[in-house]
Amino acid sequence: MPKINVYLPDELAEAVKQAGVPVSAVCQRALEQAVRRVAAIRQTVLSDLDLDVPTGALTHLTARARTVLKLAAERARAEGAASVGTEHLLDGMLTEGANLALHVLRAMDISLEQVKSDLARRQAPAANAEAGDVRSFGGPAANALEFAVNEATSLGHNYVGCEHLLLGLVAEPDGTAGQVLRALGAETRLTRRAVAAALAGYVHLRAQTQQADLAQGQGQIAALSAAIRSELQPLVQRLERLEAHVGLET
């Protein structure tokens, strides 16, 4: 039987030993579930994706996230790509234009125009596929979606939004989107902090504006970015103090 090494933080490894957790059985079960979810995503027929009545692996996606997938599929078809890549997902996110992931990037001082420019420069030449051939996600894109689901689960959310998709793209090691985002400073841990702060800032600003539409007007976009930064800064400071206390690098 093939062997796969699993690396754990020291504290978790010690806790696992003390609790007597059957590591092999737990890992096998988790991997089986992950494989099924990724397979379901890869087998999703994009041309049948219904924004109003989602089914299968895409049931828990928000309306904006489904719109991003639809835009990504359209971009991939226009380029003659054989499948949807992470670059198409990121392009779809930018094209949608009003999702929380974009506010997170702005709050991290990452220029959306720079993202667009770098993404266009890194995109590979399209394959010789006829328009309309795109019917599935490529491997890195499917993995990014799987990571997005895992991020949503770890945050205790019962939905998958564009902010989770951003985390999935950043975490995915091989795709073009992750390479672009990480090069601009969207490191996984910092992006996760920013998303948590964005969600807190979003709730705070919604309360202040009495359910005003946050997607309209540059002033409201700036207000949301400011709210994200105000929520993010004390969180980062607390985490850095804790990391310094235990001897970790920030």
Side-chain angles (χ1 to χ4, degrees):
M1 181 178 295
K3 180 179 179 180
I4 297 177
N5 293 325
V6 177
Y7 297 95
L8 301 175
D10 292 341
E11 291 184 1
L12 178 57
E14 186 61 30
V16 168
K17 290 179 181 177
Q18 292 180 0
V21 175
V23 175
S24 181
V26 170
C27 288
Q28 286 183 40
R29 198 170 300 117
L31 288 171
E32 287 172 358
Q33 293 173 352
V35 167
R36 283 197 295 270
R37 288 196 296 269
V38 170
I41 290 170
R42 289 177 178 170
Q43 292 169 5
T44 298
V45 179
L46 295 177
S47 59
D48 295 337
L49 179 60
D50 191 329
L51 295 179
D52 298 318
V53 188
T55 59
L58 307 181
T59 302
H60 297 296
L61 291 174
T62 64
R64 287 193 190 282
R66 295 197 300 273
T67 298
V68 166
L69 296 192
K70 200 78 168 181
L71 290 169
E74 291 172 358
R75 180 59 182 266
R77 290 190 187 101
E79 292 181 354
S83 61
V84 172
T86 60
E87 64 274 20
H88 302 123
L89 292 175
L90 181 54
D91 182 83
M93 189 182 296
L94 293 166
T95 302
E96 194 278 335
N99 55 79
L100 188 56
L102 302 184
H103 294 304
V104 169
L105 291 175
R106 290 190 188 98
M108 295 171 67
D109 293 323
I110 294 177
S111 164
L112 300 186
E113 290 303 319
Q114 189 63 53
V115 174
K116 292 178 184 177
S117 175
D118 291 359
L119 186 61
R121 189 171 65 251
R122 285 175 178 253
Q123 283 182 320
N128 294 324
E130 295 181 3
D133 282 351
V134 179
R135 294 177 63 82
S136 63
F137 298 102
N143 290 336
L145 287 167
E146 167 67 11
F147 290 152
V149 172
N150 291 340
E151 291 288 349
T153 300
S154 68
L155 288 169
H157 300 158
N158 62 355
Y159 65 93
V160 178
C162 293
E163 63 274 21
H164 306 116
L165 180 55
L166 173 63
L167 290 171
L169 291 173
V170 169
E172 204 288 315
D174 300 321
T176 299
Q179 295 169 10
V180 167
L181 292 168
R182 289 189 297 273
L184 291 173
E187 181 268 334
T188 300
R189 184 173 57 179
L190 179 60
T191 306
R192 192 176 289 120
R193 293 176 182 175
V195 166
L199 293 169
Y202 179 84
V203 171
H204 177 69
L205 188 57
R206 288 288 288 186
Q208 285 188 333
T209 57
Q210 298 180 343
Q211 304 300 309
D213 185 1
L214 297 174
Q216 294 181 356
Q218 292 299 318
Q220 291 169 327
I221 290 175
L224 178 55
S225 294
I228 294 172
R229 287 192 177 92
S230 69
E231 294 288 340
L232 178 59
Q233 190 57 36
L235 175 63
V236 170
Q237 291 174 346
R238 288 197 300 271
L239 287 171
E240 288 177 345
R241 286 197 298 269
L242 287 171
E243 290 169 348
H245 179 70
V246 298
L248 297 176
E249 293 184 358
T250 57

